[in-house]
Amino acid sequence: MILHKDTAKKTAELLLQIKAIKLSPSDPFTWASGWKSPIYCDNRVTLSFPSVRVFLKEEIAKIVEQQYGKPDVIAGVATGAIAIGVLVAQELGVPFVYVRPEPKKHGRKNQIEGYLESGQNVVVIEDLISTGKSSLNAVEALKEEGAVVKGMVAIFSYEFDVAADNFEKGNVNLTTLSNYTHLLEQAMDSKYISDQELETLQKWREDPGNWNQ
């Protein structure tokens, strides 16, 4: 879910400007899953641009407070959302924890790093939503430790149907600053892509796992 169209388009424009999102319909990327894709998103790039990371921090913090009020704790999903999660927690003046994909094999064998009390209200921060599986894995880990997970806020979502299904099944409310729909709209407005490239990008979105250039 997008709360503000203007914010969604501005976020998309910033991500395109700094090349955190790259669009290459004619020379697609290969994801770790093996999928061929005309888009690649790496929101860790935003950390290298002070004005962009401040914008993201402030806008995510606004969404958190609008949707849930001030939580007891902000949780970032490792590793991509640790830094932005810390920034949001600092903006809100609340504690921060982060969630590993799985428990460590040594030491205290923590999956959640930081101080978290059972019963605390937590909002989870993500950088990117694809299928949603790793994000929801983090939610489950927090719940197992007694956290009350109010919802999740992310920078960007590919808007895959499977992600929508996974979040619905997990009963987790997801809000994103921007998404694939608003990205394409902004890319056309800013002339990053042609009409033909738009058509290619839209077709990929319909069936990314079986997309052929």
Side-chain angles (χ1 to χ4, degrees), residues 15-33:
L15 296 178
L16 286 166
Q17 283 179 354
I18 65 173
K19 296 182 170 54
I21 288 180
K22 295 180 180 180
L23 300 175
S24 182
S26 61
D27 186 18
F29 305 96
T30 302
W31 287 6
S33 62

Side-chain angles (χ1 to χ4, degrees), residues 5 28 30 51-52 104 116 122 128 142 151 155-156 201 210:
K5 180 180 177 67
T30 302
S51 63
V52 176
K104 286 194 298 186
L116 179 68
V122 177
L128 176 66
L142 288 161
I155 297 173
F156 185 80
L201 287 157
N210 296 305

